[in-house]
Amino acid sequence: MSVSRYRFYLRLLLRWLPHARWRQVWNLILFRLWVGTRRDCLPCGPINVLVWASRRCNKRCNFCHYHGELAAPSAEGQDLSVSTFLAMLEHPDLKRSLRLSFYGGEPLLNPDLPAMIQLARHRGHLVSINTNGRLLAKRAAELIAVMPDLLCVSAYPEDIDALRHSLPRLTPVVPVKLGVLFEAGQESVVERTLQLAADTGVQAVFVEYVCGNGVVAGADGRDLINTEFRRRCERRFGRQLFIVWPAPRATEPRCAELWSTMVVTLDGQVGPCCVTPLATYHGSLFASEGGWNAPWRQHLRRDFRQGRLPDYCVNCRFAYSDPLELG
């Protein structure tokens, strides 16, 4: 393990342990014991739960997983309510999850997000936010007050200058991970993002390929980032930054999401993973068909093990990679 990687995960661990609960710790142990078996029905709960804080978004990206499914920033009735979130937190699958991440849409559009962060941390979760970063400057004081455990910021080229001003206020008190999407010929975008991270106190940068969504073709992850470019970036930034490159494509489906992650919309609908369109979501968290080991999820896990992928997974960048090394 590199020093930068050790430093990043140690900081997360030290932030989580003071408010950790025994049920999350026990579920983490069960997860490591059982998830490698890739059983259809797991005795542990999800290790990650992504909860939609808002269906609104202040960007319109043609490569978005939810292209055409998100609402405008001014739309009403498209945010998760505190009362619904409280009901979600009482569900057995959410109670024992280690990480609870606010997702969307753009979570920072939800005015009640700070209150929900506090509720989740009080119940022992490692709380993170997935954001495009455009509202970080506006809501920095609120975030510092409630102290999420991690900010996962998608750094787009058009927003880098704004992030250069907002991130230094946050990185001293909240761990930040930047995500950057790579397309062929865009090495300069990755280098700009790495330089942004190094200059603003960010500890980790995750480089990912664009995923096909029917509007853009996406990439399968083969040979898009040459070895020399990676080595150059590691030499220049590796001591300071924990850099995660796209995992090599396996010859067989290796997706870890179905065995590690559950995604819940603001009205309780449950999805197969974090990159499938909302139209693929099945049942409700508040009904028997929406749980972690619901029949449809067990069937999907079995199909994956046997190499039968649904259409919406064929071009996914995670379908043939195993970042959690589940085996």
Side-chain angles (χ1 to χ4, degrees):
M1 179 181 288
S2 68
V3 173
S4 56
R5 179 177 181 179
Y6 174 82
R7 187 169 58 237
F8 175 71
Y9 284 118
L10 178 62
R11 188 180 181 191
L12 286 184
L13 180 65
L14 292 177
R15 288 183 65 85
W16 172 59
L17 284 178
H19 62 271
R21 299 288 182 88
W22 66 266
R23 56 179 171 255
Q24 280 93 7
V25 176
W26 179 239
N27 189 55
L28 176 61
I29 294 170
L30 286 177
F31 174 81
R32 294 314 308 178
L33 289 173
W34 285 98
V35 75
T37 65
R38 291 184 178 261
R39 292 174 51 170
D40 299 340
C41 183
L42 294 171
C44 62
I47 203 71
N48 297 311
V49 173
L50 279 66
V51 176
W52 280 63
S54 180
R55 196 166 174 169
R56 299 184 289 153
C57 192
N58 52 359
K59 288 181 74 73
R60 286 294 180 268
C61 305
N62 65 350
F63 51 78
C64 181
H65 313 311
Y66 312 107
H67 186 77
E69 296 183 303
L70 300 178
S74 59
E76 297 181 358
Q78 298 294 324
D79 293 339
L80 177 65
S81 68
V82 174
S83 59
T84 300
F85 183 60
L86 278 169
M88 290 178 179
L89 288 175
E90 293 303 312
H91 191 280
D93 291 335
L94 267 72
K95 272 187 174 182
R96 52 185 174 167
S97 67
L98 166 61
R99 179 185 176 193
L100 193 152
S101 186
F102 291 103
Y103 196 65
E106 174 49 54
L108 293 179
L109 286 168
N110 189 328
D112 294 324
L113 185 64
M116 292 187 284
I117 292 171
Q118 288 183 307
L119 289 169
R121 292 191 86 235
H122 181 69
R123 285 161 174 77
H125 301 285
L126 190 155
V127 180
S128 63
I129 304 171
N130 290 68
T131 174
N132 60 40
R134 286 196 163 186
L135 294 174
L136 285 177
K138 181 179 180 180
R139 305 204 66 179
E142 295 174 273
L143 293 175
I144 292 170
V146 297
M147 297 289 283
D149 298 300
L150 176 66
L151 283 175
C152 303
V153 181
S154 297
Y156 301 109
E158 63 271 22
D159 297 325
I160 284 181
D161 289 340
L163 290 173
R164 189 171 292 279
H165 292 286
S166 59
L167 288 175
R169 188 176 175 188
L170 292 160
T171 52
V173 290
V174 181
V176 176
K177 179 192 82 174
L178 293 185
V180 55
L181 289 175
F182 179 87
E183 295 182 84
Q186 291 193 345
E187 286 83 357
S188 62
V189 174
V190 175
E191 288 190 285
R192 283 184 67 202
T193 305
L194 292 171
Q195 188 64 62
L196 168 71
D199 293 343
T200 56
V202 170
Q203 287 188 295
V205 176
F206 282 45
V207 184
E208 299 177 351
Y209 292 128
V210 172
C211 185
N213 64 354
V215 179
V216 296
D220 60 14
R222 289 177 288 188
D223 302 321
L224 288 188
I225 302 179
N226 66 64
T227 303
E228 180 52 39
F229 175 71
R230 295 191 192 203
R231 288 175 179 168
R232 187 171 75 245
C233 291
E234 289 289 350
R235 286 194 300 267
R236 184 178 174 187
F237 300 104
R239 288 178 178 246
Q240 183 176 353
L241 301 174
F242 169 36
I243 307 172
V244 179
W245 300 96
R249 181 186 172 99
T251 56
E252 298 178 353
R254 305 281 288 170
C255 179
E257 293 285 308
L258 290 173
W259 286 268
S260 65
T261 303
M262 185 163 70
V263 188
V264 186
T265 66
L266 51 95
D267 57 357
Q269 294 296 301
V270 179
C273 82
C274 64
V275 297
T276 56
L278 292 174
T280 65
Y281 282 37
H282 299 262
S284 171
L285 183 70
F286 305 114
S288 59
E289 75 273 10
W292 177 237
N293 285 313
W296 67 266
R297 191 183 293 273
Q298 293 188 49
H299 182 76
L300 192 53
R301 288 171 180 155
R302 184 161 52 251
D303 282 349
F304 254 84
R305 284 205 327 272
Q306 297 172 358
R308 298 193 301 267
L309 275 64
D311 291 342
Y312 53 76
C313 294
V314 172
N315 293 319
C316 178
R317 62 179 180 269
F318 298 124
Y320 290 88
S321 64
D322 188 8
L324 296 180
E325 299 178 354
L326 302 184

